Amino acid sequence: MKVLLYFENQKLISKSGIGRAMRLQQEALSHTNVEVTTDPHCSDYDVLHINTYGVNSMHMVRRARRMGKKVVYHAHSTYEDFRNSFVGSNWIAPFYKHHLVSLYRQGDALITPTPYSKSLLRSYGLTQPIYPISNGINLAKYAQSSDKVAKFREHFNLTPDQKTVISVGLFFERKGIFDFVQLADNNPNITFIWFGYTDPKLIPAKVRRVVEGAHPNNLIFAGYITGDVILGAYQGADLFLYPSFEETEGIVVLEALASKQNTLIRDIPVYDPWLTDQKNCYKAKDVAEFQTKMDAILNGQAPDLTEAGYQVAQARDLAVIGQQLAQTYDKVLSQ
């Protein structure tokens, strides 16, 4: 079997969740017997596995249809997670939803990261087979490393006893950035670090003001950082706090769990049923509850759930995900 993985505008999406998914899919399929190509001019493939939504993506689907190829559309994006992101996103969102549905309808099957995102797709009236498959995680990459932790602490000049809370995401209101800022303002003795970057021209003025300076001194917007520093942050911080209001999965949550980091997330439907409050993570509904649970975790008054969280990541290791993708391709070819 040969699969064409297609991602449009790879440079543009490289720092996004879809950009991560591209790398993860390639690595996951390396654990299988599936032959993979990313050459858009290839014609001897069996399945087009398409991940993006632009004009070239539409052309790729039409071309595949003309050649009689099977098409698997990866539904990374939904109407719900597009809102409260870029400038004008709420105005565009209904049109974006219509565009997504018209594209997704062209797939012989859909892959989406979670049961929650599957339920959203069904609510759009999509009727073809939908397979919830996690984006996955490379467990080995997040193995414990004191050297990486040291590089993280050195990069930010953190003292040995300095408490740190981190989050990772684009500069979107949807990501809960204002709640993160409020928590930093409420806790001046804790260092808060937000990893990630979005071009300021693309984000609303109220978000841009916060990122560019209207935030407390104990909050650092670190930008887009890769390598040992971010891996050390996942392991060496005292808490990963992710206040996002909407996700289709949340790859960064898997990265925190794989790092055996204390994990506190917003209590939203996407995490059901695979993440359970006080079993393999902690959940909060608002700033007050984030504060209460953060205090308990940082003060050692909450049970350590990192091993249980790691088991969630373990079940989504890329070797497992690769087999699930391969099985999905088989099902689509046998339809």
Side-chain angles (χ1 to χ4, degrees):
M1 183 198 311
K2 187 172 182 177
V3 172
L4 169 55
L5 288 182
Y6 184 72
F7 290 83
E8 187 172 350
N9 293 323
Q10 292 187 21
K11 185 176 180 181
L12 183 65
I13 66 171
S14 63
K15 297 178 181 180
S16 69
I18 295 180
R20 276 201 194 93
M22 174 180 67
R23 298 185 288 273
L24 293 172
Q25 282 174 24
Q26 291 172 307
E27 191 170 347
L29 289 169
S30 72
H31 296 280
T32 72
N33 293 323
V34 175
E35 183 182 353
V36 175
T37 181
T38 58
D39 178 7
H41 304 294
C42 174
S43 61
D44 66 344
Y45 63 88
D46 301 293
V47 177
L48 170 64
H49 182 166
I50 193 160
N51 288 264
T52 44
Y53 313 109
V55 173
N56 290 339
S57 298
M58 291 189 285
H59 290 328
M60 288 296 296
V61 173
R62 289 169 185 157
R63 179 170 174 262
R65 287 293 181 217
R66 287 197 300 270
M67 294 190 294
K69 308 294 188 181
K70 294 290 188 179
V71 176
V72 171
Y73 224 117
H74 209 121
H76 297 286
S77 189
T78 64
Y79 162 80
E80 286 76 7
D81 77 356
F82 183 74
R83 297 179 74 253
N84 296 317
S85 53
F86 298 103
V87 172
S89 62
N90 289 4
W91 184 83
I92 297 169
F95 305 98
Y96 183 68
K97 179 181 179 181
H98 178 77
H99 176 67
L100 285 180
V101 171
S102 67
L103 289 174
Y104 290 161
R105 280 202 176 113
Q106 298 177 53
D108 295 291
L110 303 176
I111 294 175
T112 197
T114 56
Y116 167 72
S117 53
K118 176 180 177 177
S119 71
L120 293 180
L121 298 176
R122 285 286 184 237
S123 75
Y124 301 165
L126 295 164
T127 58
Q128 66 265 67
I130 303 176
Y131 301 99
I133 300 177
S134 169
N135 287 300
I137 189 80
N138 179 352
L139 280 180
K141 180 179 177 181
Y142 299 90
Q144 300 297 295
S145 168
S146 57
D147 288 343
K148 291 174 183 176
V149 171
K151 287 180 180 178
F152 156 63
R153 301 196 74 83
E154 289 166 9
H155 184 87
F156 292 102
N157 296 313
L158 300 170
T159 61
D161 60 347
Q162 182 63 51
K163 295 289 187 184
T164 56
V165 175
I166 67 167
S167 197
V168 181
L170 298 172
F171 297 153
F172 290 167
E173 183 177 356
R174 169 176 67 82
K175 293 291 185 180
I177 195 168
F178 293 125
D179 283 1
F180 197 77
V181 172
Q182 184 62 59
L183 287 163
D185 197 39
N186 293 348
N187 297 272
N189 295 325
I190 299 171
T191 298
F192 288 74
I193 306 173
W194 183 287
F195 292 91
Y197 177 79
T198 308
D199 186 333
K201 295 190 294 293
L202 301 178
I203 56 179
K206 61 181 179 180
V207 178
R208 189 165 59 249
R209 280 194 297 271
V210 165
V211 171
E212 293 180 346
H215 59 258
N217 292 332
N218 60 316
L219 170 56
I220 300 168
F221 284 103
Y224 184 75
I225 294 179
T226 60
D228 289 351
V229 171
I230 184 65
L231 293 173
Y234 274 123
Q235 297 171 21
D238 296 286
L239 176 65
F240 174 80
L241 191 154
Y242 195 57
S244 178
F245 288 92
E246 184 69 33
E247 298 289 325
T248 53
E249 180 175 37
I251 293 177
V252 295
V253 175
L254 283 180
E255 291 172 344
L257 297 173
S259 303
K260 298 187 177 181
Q261 175 59 264
N262 295 310
T263 302
L264 174 57
I265 56 180
R266 193 177 298 276
D267 190 358
I268 53 178
V270 69
Y271 302 124
D272 296 331
W274 55 287
L275 288 175
T276 304
D277 184 36
Q278 302 185 62
K279 178 181 177 183
N280 46 33
C281 69
Y282 288 96
K283 295 182 181 181
K285 290 185 171 62
D286 52 30
V287 169
E289 193 172 4
F290 274 117
Q291 180 71 58
T292 299
K293 292 194 173 181
M294 181 180 73
D295 286 343
I297 294 167
L298 296 183
N299 295 329
Q301 298 169 340
D304 186 338
L305 305 179
T306 56
E307 283 298 330
Y310 181 76
Q311 290 175 20
V312 174
Q314 202 169 34
R316 291 158 176 78
D317 187 43
L318 290 180
V320 177
I321 300 306
Q323 296 303 319
Q324 293 176 2
L325 290 173
Q327 290 165 11
T328 299
Y329 301 148
D330 279 331
K331 290 174 184 176
V332 171
L333 286 172
S334 66
Q335 283 178 14

